[in-house]
Amino acid sequence: MDWYPLYNSLRIALISSVIVFFTGIFAAYYIAKLNRVVKGILDVVLTLPMVLPPTVVGYFLLLLLGTKRPLGIWFMENFGVKLVMTWYSGIFAAAVVAFPLMYRTARGAFESFDENLAYSGQTLGLSNTYIFWRIRMPACRQGILAGAVLTFARALGEYGATSMLAGYTPGRTAAISTTVYHLWRTDNEGLAFRWVMVNMAISTVVLLAVNMLEKRKGV
């Protein structure tokens, strides 16, 4: 059994989760401060990948990053880097699809934060950076950690956008989701079932982690 799909899926999920963790927190923190109209418009734009079919998201990413598109051509000519049909193409797909989960969860956590704690810190002369990392983030950590775990799970199981952007090449771009589809399509149901069990085991661990975080939050 070739374990490359597991390795590739894990590294794509980990890298994209790190990217989404920081960008999602950044967007949630600043957008939560905006007026209602602007916040509503940005909410729609940033949450759209969560409600669109993943293949549609993949199509839009191909329009942006494809080898015949301006951005794809620029990267190829200046850096010799192809943005599609490579293992790291899966990072772009997973990050875009998983971003709304982190963003919405973090925004909800920030909006439930007691701003009086921040005001108290300001009266003591604490910087906004200190207040954010040492007061706001610890107070919101349960929701943010739950969002991070869900983001990882979503990135790990992403198929539609990944299949369009990275494709399926054994030993190069194959992920668990694309491998399962390929094995099923070629009537290798036994091996496909093994990969399904691997994915289910990882997903179960992730869900248990989320439940533990929610219980700790309720305590």
Side-chain angles (χ1 to χ4, degrees):
M1 187 170 175
D2 179 16
W3 290 101
Y4 178 83
L6 176 61
Y7 162 70
N8 194 37
S9 292
L10 287 175
R11 67 174 172 177
I12 288 173
L14 285 170
I15 295 172
S16 60
S17 294
V18 171
I19 295 171
V20 168
F21 179 81
F22 289 104
T23 56
I25 287 175
F26 176 84
Y29 176 68
Y30 285 102
I31 289 175
K33 295 181 175 183
L34 299 175
N35 65 68
R36 188 174 181 179
V37 175
V38 177
K39 181 165 46 174
I41 294 172
L42 291 176
D43 266 350
V44 171
V45 174
L46 296 178
T47 310
L48 203 56
M50 187 166 65
V51 296
L52 285 175
T55 49
V56 174
V57 176
Y59 174 77
F60 282 122
L61 287 173
L62 282 175
L63 292 180
L64 179 66
L65 306 175
T67 54
K68 296 182 179 180
R69 303 297 171 178
L71 188 59
I73 294 172
W74 187 80
F75 267 91
M76 180 61 72
E77 291 180 347
N78 290 276
F79 304 104
V81 174
K82 188 167 70 167
L83 300 180
V84 296
M85 299 305 156
T86 62
W87 76 265
Y88 49 82
S89 301
I91 297 174
F92 306 139
V96 171
V97 171
F99 175 85
L101 284 172
M102 187 69 231
Y103 164 69
R104 299 290 295 192
T105 307
R107 209 196 79 183
F110 288 145
E111 288 179 342
S112 64
F113 175 74
D114 185 359
E115 289 296 333
N116 289 324
L117 296 175
Y119 298 148
S120 299
Q122 290 173 351
T123 60
L124 294 173
L126 301 178
S127 67
N128 289 331
T129 301
Y130 184 94
I131 292 171
F132 180 82
W133 290 109
R134 301 301 296 273
I135 298 177
R136 191 181 300 272
M137 285 292 285
C140 302
R141 67 182 180 277
Q142 300 297 345
I144 290 173
L145 287 175
V149 174
L150 288 173
T151 296
F152 175 81
R154 183 66 186 87
L156 184 67
E158 199 336 85
Y159 170 74
T162 300
S163 63
M164 294 191 69
L165 208 63
Y168 173 81
T169 304
R172 293 182 58 190
T173 68
I176 293 177
S177 57
T178 55
T179 298
V180 169
Y181 175 75
H182 173 76
L183 291 172
W184 170 80
R185 190 169 58 86
T186 55
D187 293 325
N188 193 346
E189 293 191 11
L191 191 53
F193 183 76
R194 292 184 193 177
W195 279 116
V196 169
M197 290 296 100
V198 170
N199 208 349
M200 286 186 64
I202 297 173
S203 299
T204 300
V205 172
V206 169
L207 290 175
L208 288 173
V210 172
N211 288 336
M212 290 176 63
L213 288 170
E214 289 179 346
K215 288 181 180 179
R216 288 181 59 187
K217 185 177 180 180
V219 172

